[in-house]
Amino acid sequence: MKKIILSTLLCLIITSCATILKKKTYELSVSSDVSGSKVKIYDSIYPLPANVVVERSKEDLNLIWLTSDSIQKDYLVKTSPNSTFLFANLLGFHFIPVTYGIDFTNQKRFYYGKEIFLSSQDTTYTIFPPIREKGVKIANYFKREFLRTPGDMNLVISIPSINGFNMDTEQHGVRVQTGVFGFRTGFDYYYREDKYFNMSLAFSSGRLLFSDEKLNTYYLSLTDNKILHRLNVGYGLNYSINRWKFEEFDEDDPDPWNGEKSIIHAVGLIGNCYLNFNRILSAGVIYKPTFLQVYPETKFQYEHLISIDFQIKIPIKKNK
């Protein structure tokens, strides 16, 4: 028991990387393209280039560039989590909540970058460390919206490329299988710049190469969709025809299930989430559960389809 406790504590200590590996201060390299200029950080002035000892902090760093006796430029250096905190803690994935929690108790997880270059051509006076700069670029990428004009319409064509089935057959209970390929087509109608209806007909296959079991579904869906920056999120209803059939692949080894099949009609919900790469191309996930079977008998029965989908949208009507 003691060995287990000691091993656990050792793992927690080792994997709290920012706390263990980083000091409260570090050297920040500052240089410029103006000869003889200086920089003021905290209350000290340093001739450039200089290695300045700065404290790690969650607060941004004020920096004053003195290019001459009468001219100065005020910069704001944004603080950012460092790579040790962000990534090294992942090595102890079993203890991630604890290791990140330990690092959150101090400010060793922050930094201002390793070096700063001040240029006379600067037009902005806010400096982002490389990690935060990348984070800002990613955030700006996801902030972009692909809004439409009310009344616009699109033809939608998509390929549900990977399809995971959970299907309840009459003869052999629940069958679970993942297959490839499908086809979906439909129309978008925008009733607001950020909301639209979609009606689609689709086919998805759950059969793998050399598999004896053939699962597929045909369904009609109607969804209400919301544009959230680069994401489109939708929900609605579906009517599905779910089919299962056993087709003997190896004729030399006959199976007693050969030729058996099941056809079920059911209704349920549907949800989707897509990432828009541009106004035409997007990729996302479709979740299509059914709850009420209406053929060959009426009863409550759960089945689902989860698809990874790639779609294109072709404008067919644009309102100016």
Side-chain angles (χ1 to χ4, degrees):
M1 186 65 179
K2 290 183 178 179
K3 290 183 178 180
I4 296 175
I5 294 174
L6 290 173
S7 298
T8 302
L9 291 174
L10 182 61
C11 288
L12 294 178
I13 292 172
I14 291 175
T15 54
S16 299
C17 292
T19 300
I20 300 299
L21 300 178
K22 296 298 183 182
K23 297 180 180 179
K24 291 183 179 180
T25 61
Y26 76 101
E27 285 192 350
L28 174 64
S29 175
V30 185
S31 59
S32 76
D33 62 354
V34 176
S35 177
S37 62
K38 301 176 181 180
V39 66
K40 182 178 180 180
I41 298 178
Y42 304 130
D43 293 324
S44 300
I45 296 176
Y46 305 87
L48 296 180
N51 290 324
V52 182
V53 176
V54 295
E55 294 183 4
R56 300 181 187 274
S57 171
K58 63 181 180 180
E59 304 297 333
D60 298 333
L61 178 68
N62 292 306
L63 179 155
I64 300 175
W65 186 24
L66 307 170
T67 57
S68 68
D69 293 336
S70 58
I71 300 176
Q72 69 176 42
K73 296 181 180 180
D74 295 337
Y75 285 81
L76 182 67
V77 185
K78 305 294 286 186
T79 188
S80 171
N82 56 54
S83 58
T84 304
F85 167 72
L86 291 175
F87 306 118
N89 279 331
L90 297 176
L91 297 175
F93 61 91
H94 291 297
F95 304 101
I96 279 177
V98 179
T99 56
Y100 277 103
I102 292 174
D103 281 348
F104 267 110
T105 63
N106 60 73
Q107 300 192 43
K108 293 181 181 180
R109 67 186 186 274
F110 295 106
Y111 87 137
Y112 301 107
K114 295 180 179 179
E115 57 184 29
I116 293 174
F117 180 75
L118 306 175
S119 172
S120 57
Q121 304 300 317
D122 284 342
T123 57
T124 179
Y125 301 102
T126 300
I127 299 173
F128 293 94
I131 291 179
R132 182 157 179 174
E133 186 175 10
K134 291 178 182 177
V136 169
K137 289 181 179 179
I138 292 173
N140 289 337
Y141 175 84
F142 282 99
K143 283 181 180 178
R144 182 175 178 184
E145 292 184 316
F146 295 97
L147 302 178
R148 305 280 183 162
T149 303
D152 284 1
M153 293 184 67
N154 291 330
L155 170 65
V156 180
I157 299 173
S158 76
I159 305 295
S161 302
I162 302 176
N163 306 295
F165 282 84
N166 181 305
M167 188 177 294
D168 198 341
T169 65
E170 298 175 54
Q171 305 94 324
H172 304 291
V174 176
R175 314 305 300 169
V176 177
Q177 187 163 294
T178 299
V180 295
F181 187 67
F183 181 79
R184 185 173 70 92
T185 186
F187 295 92
D188 292 338
Y189 174 77
Y190 289 79
Y191 62 94
R192 276 179 21 189
E193 65 176 9
D194 62 343
K195 298 197 75 174
Y196 63 94
F197 289 121
N198 173 272
M199 185 171 67
S200 294
L201 286 169
F203 161 78
S204 293
S205 171
R207 186 174 188 177
L208 295 172
L209 192 63
F210 308 129
S211 172
D212 292 330
E213 294 188 64
K214 181 179 181 181
L215 289 78
N216 58 55
T217 182
Y218 299 84
Y219 65 90
L220 170 68
S221 65
L222 178 64
T223 59
D224 187 20
N225 302 270
K226 170 74 172 176
I227 299 174
L228 299 171
H229 301 290
R230 276 192 182 266
L231 295 179
N232 287 7
V233 180
Y235 63 93
L237 303 172
N238 82 83
Y239 182 91
S240 299
I241 302 174
N242 300 327
R243 300 164 60 94
W244 171 83
K245 186 176 181 180
F246 195 94
E247 294 181 339
E248 189 69 48
F249 181 78
D250 186 359
E251 296 181 355
D252 296 330
D253 184 21
D255 192 288
W257 289 13
N258 192 31
E260 292 189 18
K261 62 182 180 180
S262 172
I263 301 176
I264 293 173
H265 294 215
V267 294
L269 304 177
I270 188 168
N272 64 69
C273 181
Y274 286 89
L275 172 64
N276 296 305
F277 302 117
N278 50 48
R279 289 186 176 272
I280 296 176
L281 181 64
S282 61
V285 177
I286 299 171
Y287 173 53
K288 182 186 72 69
T290 55
F291 305 102
L292 179 63
Q293 182 188 126
V294 296
Y295 174 86
E297 59 179 321
T298 301
K299 64 178 181 179
F300 288 102
Q301 178 173 283
Y302 175 78
E303 298 178 305
H304 75 242
L305 166 72
I306 300 176
S307 296
I308 297 177
D309 190 43
F310 298 89
Q311 72 174 9
I312 60 172
K313 295 189 174 188
I314 304 172
I316 57 175
K317 181 185 176 184
K318 285 188 175 182
N319 285 352
K320 297 183 179 180

